[in-house]
Amino acid sequence: MTPEPHDPTTDRTAAPRRRTVLAALGALPVLAATTGATGAAGAAGAAATTASAAAAGTAVLIDPSVRRQSIRGFGGMNHPLWAGDLTAEQRETAFGNGPGQLGFSMLRIHVDEDRANWSREVATAKRAAELGAIVFASPWNPPAAMVETFVRSSQSNARRLRYDMYGAYAQHLEDFRVFMADNGVELYAVSVQNEPDYAQDWTWWTSDEIVRFLRENAGAIGTRVIAPESFQYVKSLSDPVLNDPVALANLDVLGAHLYGTPFANFPYPLFQQKGQGKELWMTEVYYPNSSDSADLWPQALGVGEHMHHALVDGGFQAYVWWYIRRGYGPMREDGRISKRGAVMAHFAKFVRPGHVRLDAPANPQSGVWTSAYRGGSAVTVVAVNQGTAAVSQQFTLAGGTAPAGVSAWVTDATRTLAAQAGPAPSGGSFTAVLPAQSVTTFVVSLVAVEPMPPTAPGTPVAGEVTATSAALSWAPSTDDVGVVRYDVVRVDGSGESVVASTTTGRVTVTGLAAGTAYAFAVYAFDAPGNRSPRSATVAVTTAAAPAGGCGVDYRVTNSWGGGFQGEIVLRNTGTAALSGWTLSFAFTAGQVIGQMWGGTATQSGGAVSVVPADYTRTVPAGGSVTLGFIATQGAANPAPAAFALIGAACG
């Protein structure tokens, strides 16, 4: 029997597997769980004195005015083909947020290379979405016809995507998105490739190949794009993307896996510097291994520290486990929540999508890890005590924010997500005892909370700029209830005017004039309608109309029943080099372009607009570039009657 990917194996020796590598690397629902014996988070916590807390360690000073990343959510992978589908009851356990449920708000699914398997993903994805989770998808392989083998080190049968199939592969991913949408699931995002740097069993990608795909083909995918999903958060795979403005403009989520990644490698300064407008997700892990039972305690408590470092040190906005249902996973094979799952639920059930991490000491005393989050009129604190003795810990809200009351839940050796009587607040503080080897979540309700508008979006960054459009992206705003819309405004001497709106951190502003300077800025809005301060502005100058003249040669190079291959030669007959061009034309007999090389085509009805690839971006004076494409056709296939370059007629 073929072992399932990512599970322990003993019978495959051709190449090192994950287990070998790891061994070498060393609206907030209230959980109405049955209350167990009152623990230190309850009566004992309420009785703890300020003096004993001070003696134990540093007080946790939570500053609601200092906001870090917004949280997208927590979740896991469902892979029906490899691990069997979740049952209807297990879907409720995973994505519901009542008693005995995990509260997951994210689901990762598989983009199979065989379309016949796509329907397997629908049932669980649809129910997860109905319960409020976002669904995203990752591929392991392109369809076989798009792949070639090559020699990579000692691997003679390594696989990679053929360079002439990049457009077809983008269409494959888009087709999956459309299939899921037609079946009631709008995918939040699609990945380019699962673990392109650890692909003995699937498809390899280099950083240059990822950059090329993002630059030239990712725009054809009708949802957010994730890359590169490195096996161990290898920064050399993603650095080139962050350093390429055009590729970065087509990236929405930087994804990473944390298998064997040291905590010291969780921070990513280059992403903080250049990843404006992008999300940062941890899209797959199991921790610390896939061999132990998920119910071993205190070993399962290590998941809490791992999540803490991912959120606090790494700044990740999402934390996604590998298989949801597994002996080492958050849900046991019998469908019950494991101890590892309970630790995850201490975050997932109470730190909900749109909540914002607040500034707070991460390690106030030895063995204790704390983080804080705000959502609406409450602050959530998750405290992990890995020590073998109970400790007293003081928590204080800065800035005059007063807690009205505190609820608490604890998991330790004998209790699992057990509700506790929360410690009584005094002034702006409360003190609790954290039981030995435990994780405790406190939900602090606030007094007289003022509406909190979103923070100002990051300064927009211009990506692809043509004669008539400009692609803009920006760092997302943070907000306690979540940002629902961004408005992009044009800023000029007479004021400002809205030119585009979006729910994401990027948009392409169209309808611009050639050779014209513009200034753009962004506002964010939350669900109650609060508007953020305006971002700083970005200056953009559109490409000038071609000087001199241009010519286009169009021909059909091959045809077959229902389809054809075409070629377009764009000639610059002017006296100056042409850069950043847009070529427009119209088909009149229902032809539809499915794949293009040398440029990226967008089509609406018969109208086609083409922007260049990197290697065709500049057309020297007196020179030319060649574009090729494959399209469908009907009974007739007339050539386009006219072409326009940057809005000007091109003979």
Side-chain angles (χ1 to χ4, degrees), residues 101-104 294-295 297 300 303 307 321 324 328-332 336-349 411 416-417:
Q101 296 176 330
L102 285 165
F104 281 178
D295 287 315
W297 197 266
V303 174
M307 295 180 73
W321 194 266
I324 294 174
Y328 56 84
M331 185 188 297
R332 301 195 301 252
R336 301 290 295 271
I337 293 177
S338 68
K339 283 289 192 179
R340 287 182 180 179
V343 174
M344 288 190 69
H346 271 273
F347 292 87
K349 294 181 71 68
T411 294
T416 301
L417 287 168

Side-chain angles (χ1 to χ4, degrees), residues 38-59:
T38 301
T49 65
T50 302
S52 64
T58 304

Side-chain angles (χ1 to χ4, degrees), residues 108-467:
R108 184 179 184 227
I109 63 175
H110 177 221
V111 184
D112 200 280
E113 56 264 38
D114 184 351
R115 293 169 184 248
N117 290 323
W118 287 1
S119 60
R120 297 172 181 264
E121 307 295 338
V122 172
T124 292
K126 189 171 183 179
R127 185 55 183 152
E130 290 170 348
L131 291 169
I134 66 170
V135 183
F136 70 100
S138 298
W140 270 245
N141 290 301
M146 300 180 190
V147 175
E148 64 183 4
T149 59
F150 71 107
V151 176
R152 185 185 187 277
S153 299
S154 60
Q155 186 180 3
S156 61
N157 63 341
R159 286 176 287 183
R160 66 184 174 203
L161 179 65
R162 284 168 43 189
Y163 287 176
D164 64 340
M165 286 291 177
Y166 277 35
Y169 180 56
Q171 188 62 51
H172 171 74
L173 298 178
E174 170 63 5
D175 288 348
F176 181 79
R177 182 199 69 79
V178 172
F179 173 86
M180 294 302 295
D182 289 344
N183 283 276
V185 180
E186 294 289 343
L187 292 180
Y188 184 89
V190 172
S191 173
V192 174
Q193 172 66 47
N194 170 77
E195 295 180 359
D197 55 340
Y198 191 79
Q200 286 92 346
D201 296 321
W202 42 87
T203 304
W204 294 98
W205 290 64
T206 67
S207 59
D208 288 344
E209 289 166 346
I210 293 171
V211 167
R212 175 182 169 180
F213 184 85
L214 290 173
R215 290 181 66 106
E216 299 179 12
N217 306 101
I221 301 171
T223 188
R224 299 167 186 83
V225 174
I226 305 172
E229 288 203 282
S230 166
F231 166 48
Q232 292 180 316
Y233 203 13
V234 175
K235 309 301 196 300
S236 60
L237 195 66
S238 49
D239 282 354
V241 175
L242 294 171
N243 286 320
D244 188 301
V246 178
L248 185 59
N250 286 327
L251 176 76
D252 299 284
V253 180
L254 195 150
H257 300 177
L258 296 179
Y259 289 106
T261 309
F263 295 154
N265 289 353
F266 283 13
Y268 197 176
L270 186 65
F271 179 84
Q272 300 304 323
Q273 175 189 352
K274 296 192 173 183
Q276 297 188 32
K278 315 303 173 186
E279 296 187 60
L280 182 63
W281 292 5
M282 198 293 295
T283 56
E284 185 190 313
V285 79
Y286 51 70
Y287 184 86
N289 56 49
S290 62
S291 55
D292 290 344
S293 165
D295 287 315
L296 288 179
W297 197 266
Q299 289 88 336
L301 185 59
V303 174
E305 184 186 357
H306 195 264
M307 295 180 73
H308 168 90
H309 287 294
L311 295 165
V312 175
D313 300 344
F316 286 102
Q317 297 166 268
Y319 187 98
V320 180
W321 194 266
W322 178 226
Y323 290 137
I324 294 174
R325 186 193 63 214
R326 221 57 176 167
Y328 56 84
M331 185 188 297
R332 301 195 301 252
E333 292 288 358
D334 63 3
R336 301 290 295 271
I337 293 177
S338 68
K339 283 289 192 179
R340 287 182 180 179
V343 174
M344 288 190 69
H346 271 273
F347 292 87
K349 294 181 71 68
F350 307 102
V351 183
R352 301 300 293 170
H355 285 198
V356 179
R357 187 171 70 86
L358 305 177
D359 188 63
N363 186 205
Q365 54 182 306
S366 178
V368 174
W369 306 96
T370 58
S371 57
Y373 311 83
R374 178 168 172 180
S377 59
V379 169
T380 297
V381 179
V382 183
V384 177
N385 176 20
Q386 292 183 306
T388 56
V391 297
S392 181
Q393 183 63 58
Q394 183 181 16
F395 300 88
T396 300
L397 296 177
T401 306
V406 182
S407 301
W409 291 262
V410 67
T411 294
D412 59 12
T414 60
R415 292 169 291 183
T416 301
L417 287 168
Q420 306 293 292
S426 176
S429 300
F430 66 93
T431 299
V433 172
L434 308 178
Q437 297 178 325
S438 70
V439 55
T440 308
T441 297
F442 303 98
V443 177
V444 185
S445 57
L446 305 179
V447 176
V449 177
E450 293 292 329
M452 184 170 65
T455 59
T459 304
V461 175
E464 181 76 20
V465 178
T466 71

Side-chain angles (χ1 to χ4, degrees), residues 489-503:
V489 296
R490 176 186 175 185
V491 182
D492 56 30
S494 60
E496 59 185 40
S497 57
V498 177
V499 294
S501 295
T502 179
T503 58

